[in-house]
């Protein structure tokens, strides 16, 4: 990383470096007091980072919460094969580890953020095969996931899924979506929502995908505050959002045996959907 900075952004090369995370997709390092560096670890992650680099700077100025739009972009070299990003460092902890002090105001903050984000997407916007799509495209995974939950919950969950899947599909224009909005991608600082991070799955389509976060972080009453702040989720969209919350909860529960944090998010969302 220091060699890449030396070659391409020498003004940053002398700042202190600390490794923060080394996940499946990215190596993330703290760079001085103000920055993070994100370096993809595999080709798939590099494609996602390229979406962030292209689109997030175009969206950031109209969003009411800070987002990690790149401040510097690194290019591939003979030594390192992919583009990489220098992004702002935001103070705070993820909401999955540090819940906001005022959950109703937090719900309203997320609702307002999504209202601002969910504008009609550009014609060249990314299109995901798994997010922002009609719920029918998630049916196989949901049914597989339900086979592994407690039988006492299965019938209720299946009924909720069937109701959500039967709701009218999104018939508006494809909207900009975060694509992976859950409590590990929301920051809380001094008790308040402070930023929304990790836009690698930025995509376009049905806003119900993002609205599923309401079941991952909030009670029924707080979800109502989020919906009110969002201001434009009709009953069909809200029903699909509940279906998305169930679908994503089952993914987290099924694929997080080595990740207690994500398993906990899945368990909480599953319980909220069934309540």
């Amino acid at each position: 990383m220091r060699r890449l900075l030396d070659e391409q952004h020498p003004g940053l090369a002398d700042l202190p470096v600390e490794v923060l995370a080394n996940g499946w997709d990215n190596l993330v390092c703290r760079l001085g007091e103000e920055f993070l560096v994100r370096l993809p670890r595999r080709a798939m992650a590099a494609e996602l980072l390229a979406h962030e680099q292209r689109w997030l700077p175009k969206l950031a100025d109209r969003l009411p919460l800070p987002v990690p739009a790149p401040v510097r972009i690194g290019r591939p070299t003979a030594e390192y094969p992919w583009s990489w990003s220098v992004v702002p460092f935001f103070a705070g902890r993820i909401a999955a580890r540090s819940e906001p002090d005022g959950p109703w105001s937090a719900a309203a903050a997320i609702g307002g953020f999504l209202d601002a984000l969910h504008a009609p997407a550009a014609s060249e916007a990314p299109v995901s095969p798994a997010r922002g799509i009609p719920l029918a495209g998630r049916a196989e995974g949901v049914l597989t996931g339900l086979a592994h939950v407690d039988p006492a919950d299965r019938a209720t969950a299946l009924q909720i899924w069937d109701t959500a899947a039967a709701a009218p599909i999104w018939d508006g224009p494809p909207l900009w979506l975060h694509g992976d909005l859950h409590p590990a991608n929301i920051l809380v600082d001094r008790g308040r929502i402070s930023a929304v991070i990790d836009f690698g799955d930025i995509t376009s389509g049905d806003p119900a995908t993002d609205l599923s976060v309401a079941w991952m972080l909030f009670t029924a009453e707080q979800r109502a505050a989020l919906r009110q702040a969002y201001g434009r989720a009709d009953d069909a969209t809200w029903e699909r959002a509940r279906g998305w919350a169930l679908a994503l909860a089952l993914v987290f529960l099924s694929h997080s045996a080595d990740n207690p944090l994500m398993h906990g998010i899945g368990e909480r969302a599953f319980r909220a959907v069934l309540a």
Side-chain angles (χ1 to χ4, degrees):
M1 193 186 88
R2 285 200 180 281
R3 286 195 295 273
L4 291 171
L5 288 168
D6 238 353
E7 294 169 7
Q8 300 183 35
H9 300 289
L12 303 177
D14 291 333
L15 294 174
V17 172
E18 176 189 359
V19 175
L20 291 186
N22 200 359
W24 287 107
D25 284 341
N26 295 287
L27 169 68
V28 180
C29 295
R30 182 84 181 263
L31 180 65
E33 296 295 319
E34 299 180 41
F35 305 114
L36 298 177
V37 180
R38 284 163 54 86
L39 296 103
R41 297 188 62 218
R42 55 180 181 157
M44 181 184 298
E47 292 178 15
L48 299 180
L49 194 77
H51 292 162
E52 283 187 343
Q53 291 174 339
R54 179 176 181 184
W55 296 111
L56 207 48
K58 300 178 187 300
L59 300 175
D61 287 346
R62 61 178 175 79
L63 299 176
L65 290 169
V67 297
V71 296
R72 305 281 184 94
I73 290 177
R75 300 300 178 190
T77 68
E79 181 181 24
Y80 180 77
W82 302 304
S83 293
W84 47 281
S85 296
V86 179
V87 303
F89 170 78
F90 299 132
R93 302 182 68 206
I94 57 173
R97 297 194 188 279
S98 179
E99 294 192 12
D101 292 342
W104 277 270
S105 61
I110 295 298
F113 175 84
L114 290 177
D115 178 47
L117 174 63
H118 288 171
S123 59
E124 323 92 275
V127 177
S128 168
R131 311 288 176 109
I133 62 174
L135 283 174
R138 304 290 305 218
E140 182 178 354
V142 167
L143 296 177
T144 299
L146 287 176
H148 299 287
V149 304
D150 188 326
D153 296 324
R154 194 175 300 146
T156 301
L158 183 59
Q159 183 177 21
I160 290 168
W161 172 253
D162 287 343
T163 300
I169 64 171
W170 175 250
D171 61 358
L175 303 183
W176 281 114
L177 309 178
H178 180 283
D180 193 28
L181 190 60
H182 54 65
N185 285 335
I186 296 169
L187 294 186
V188 175
D189 185 39
R190 287 173 284 187
R192 300 176 64 86
I193 302 292
S194 59
V196 177
I197 60 173
D198 197 349
F199 280 74
D201 284 302
I202 190 170
T203 188
S204 55
D206 180 1
T209 302
D210 281 352
L211 289 167
S212 64
V213 73
W215 283 263
M216 299 182 195
L217 196 53
F218 301 114
T219 66
E221 293 81 7
Q222 294 155 11
R223 288 196 291 275
L226 187 154
R227 186 178 181 183
Q228 182 177 12
Y230 184 72
R232 50 197 174 104
D234 60 19
D235 289 344
T237 299
W238 201 244
E239 195 64 60
R240 293 194 310 277
R242 190 183 187 191
W244 272 103
L246 176 59
L248 295 171
L250 291 170
V251 170
F252 296 155
L253 289 172
S254 300
H255 299 284
S256 300
D258 61 345
N259 190 333
L261 179 77
M262 296 307 295
H263 192 277
I265 293 172
E267 181 66 28
R268 177 173 179 170
F270 185 71
R271 292 295 153 204
V273 167
L274 265 59

